[in-house]
Amino acid sequence: MLVDVIINHVITMKISMSVGLAESIANQIEALFPTEVKDTYFMRGGSHKNPKGKLYAKFYNSMRLLKTSGLVVDNNKRGTTAAQTKTLRQFGKCEPDIQHVLDQIIYDTDITFPELQNLWRATTKFRINDIQKASSTDSIIKKWTNYKAPLGFKLIDIDFNTLYPDCNDFISVFGEKFQNCLKIFEDKIKDPLSHTLFDQLKNTPDICANGKNSIIFCLFHAVFVPTSKKVTRDENGKKSQIKYSIRDSVNSFIIFKNSISEVEDYILYRKNENQPIQPFIIVIGTPVKPKEIFIFFDCIKYKLFSITSAVDTCFKIFHLFN
């Protein structure tokens, strides 16, 4: 009953719910009613964890019910304004009055993904500004944990499209340029293994779209031949130089495994290197017959259903978090 009265007042007076407000109310309840326990009404969840308690739960459940019934207008469904599609230098100013929305993104674990997408769109300028100030991708993901959701790549789409509103749709453009790619491969590929793969592309009549596209993205590495070299020293201080091969270049972007267990073993191997993991694609199957497609970077794994979507997402991750 007490929580109902408090939350009704907060909503009626259009007061923005925040962590600070919820904790303040809980402290006052405990002071006024000595038999009450503060943690019942509000309890911080620790680093990067959601707060708990009746106040937060009641507020967000009530707001969701009001929006569903049409008694409260959902500002996040009004669409973005022209000001939200400016270039990076204009992201220094954040959307007005968004603290409530940010709190809901960070702390409300019950919202549906479509609701989250609407909230995400309403806070793009604030988040992009925050990302630009971050010291590492890891710190970004720890703060904006929704990127780790299975459909987190859709949130990356939202942020990327706000940051680069004039960027052409990669998937459409790639489809239009397919025949041009084949002509380039005919002229430029000299590597024997890559030529064999190209022959498979041309001579497999029933090859699926993902098989066709996975081969094409592998063959690009034979056209743009790697020139990087790495200098190492042995225990005696003697220098040696390593030149990266076409195969090294392919494996840095897309790798092929036979099973999900092999995928997990490879991911564990990469994690144990204790180095930041750049976005790359993992395919269960072969270039000709890919079965499952994943993207992995840092601590996140997304499952996608097309090679072009995977490449598109990798591209957006690089440009959003770089």
Side-chain angles (χ1 to χ4, degrees):
M1 183 67 178
L2 178 61
V3 172
D4 290 341
V5 172
I6 293 171
I7 296 304
N8 284 341
H9 176 75
V10 169
I11 293 174
T12 302
M13 301 304 294
K14 298 182 180 180
I15 300 171
S16 294
M17 176 58 73
S18 66
V19 174
L21 176 62
E23 185 166 27
S24 175
I25 294 172
N27 286 333
Q28 293 178 57
I29 291 173
E30 187 178 45
L32 291 170
F33 305 99
T35 58
E36 296 294 334
V37 178
K38 174 185 174 181
D39 288 353
T40 302
Y41 298 92
F42 176 84
M43 182 169 59
R44 289 184 179 272
S47 178
H48 310 301
K49 293 184 179 179
N50 300 329
K52 301 176 182 179
K54 292 183 177 181
L55 292 170
Y56 249 76
K58 181 64 178 178
F59 177 81
Y60 287 119
N61 288 338
S62 298
M63 288 299 295
R64 186 179 300 108
L65 180 61
L66 290 170
K67 289 176 182 178
T68 302
S69 61
L71 296 175
V72 170
V73 176
D74 188 349
N75 292 327
N76 303 315
K77 294 182 180 179
R78 293 178 178 173
T80 55
T81 65
Q84 289 176 306
T85 56
K86 299 291 185 179
T87 54
L88 176 60
R89 64 178 178 274
Q90 294 171 302
F91 287 117
K93 294 183 179 180
C94 302
E95 295 90 336
D97 194 25
I98 62 167
Q99 187 57 52
H100 160 64
V101 182
L102 292 172
D103 285 343
Q104 196 168 0
I105 287 174
I106 296 172
Y107 301 116
D108 188 356
T109 58
D110 295 326
I111 56 175
T112 64
F113 193 78
E115 289 174 328
L116 175 61
Q117 286 178 292
N118 287 329
L119 297 174
W120 206 262
R121 290 187 184 96
T123 55
T124 49
K125 287 196 292 185
F126 178 90
R127 187 168 40 261
I128 290 170
N129 185 53
D130 193 57
I131 288 171
Q132 297 302 317
K133 295 177 181 178
S135 59
S136 66
T137 304
D138 182 61
S139 65
I140 295 169
I141 294 169
K142 282 182 177 178
K143 180 172 183 178
W144 302 98
T145 57
N146 297 103
Y147 282 128
K148 295 191 287 187
L151 295 176
F153 57 89
K154 292 183 179 291
L155 305 180
I156 290 172
D157 281 345
I158 292 171
D159 289 340
F160 178 87
N161 291 334
T162 302
L163 186 57
Y164 300 101
D166 299 323
C167 184
N168 292 329
D169 178 62
F170 165 76
I171 295 175
S172 299
V173 172
F174 176 75
E176 295 169 1
K177 303 298 182 182
F178 175 76
Q179 292 300 325
N180 293 350
C181 293
L182 298 184
K183 293 177 182 177
I184 292 172
F185 295 155
E186 288 280 8
D187 296 336
K188 300 292 185 181
I189 291 179
K190 308 299 180 185
D191 172 61
L193 289 177
S194 299
H195 222 292
T196 299
L197 191 58
F198 185 40
D199 288 339
Q200 285 183 286
L201 173 62
K202 294 186 294 182
N203 300 325
T204 308
D206 59 345
I207 190 170
C208 65
N210 278 335
K212 186 187 303 180
N213 292 332
S214 69
I215 290 176
I216 286 176
F217 283 108
C218 288
L219 292 178
F220 278 136
H221 296 265
V223 175
F224 304 102
V225 178
T227 58
S228 299
K229 297 179 181 179
K230 181 179 180 181
V231 177
T232 61
R233 291 179 182 270
D234 62 19
E235 57 186 11
N236 298 318
K238 184 179 179 180
K239 288 184 179 180
S240 61
Q241 193 175 75
I242 300 172
K243 182 179 179 181
Y244 291 105
S245 66
I246 292 173
R247 179 53 49 195
D248 293 329
S249 181
V250 172
N251 288 340
S252 70
F253 182 62
I254 182 169
I255 63 166
F256 297 88
K257 297 295 181 182
N258 294 318
S259 65
I260 192 67
S261 62
E262 286 189 13
V263 169
E264 296 301 331
D265 288 344
Y266 182 77
I267 289 174
L268 181 61
Y269 163 75
R270 292 294 303 271
K271 286 181 177 179
N272 288 339
E273 291 180 326
N274 294 320
Q275 296 290 330
I277 300 176
Q278 298 294 323
F280 69 95
I281 300 169
I282 307 177
V283 174
I284 297 178
T286 66
V288 178
K289 293 184 178 180
K291 298 175 182 177
E292 293 186 83
I293 303 162
F294 301 91
I295 288 177
F296 191 82
F297 76 105
D298 278 352
C299 60
I300 296 177
K301 182 173 70 176
Y302 297 137
K303 181 174 182 178
L304 292 101
F305 296 93
S306 77
I307 292 292
T308 50
S309 294
V311 174
D312 181 55
T313 300
C314 283
F315 176 84
K316 290 173 178 176
I317 291 170
F318 275 117
H319 286 273
L320 179 62
F321 294 145
N322 186 13

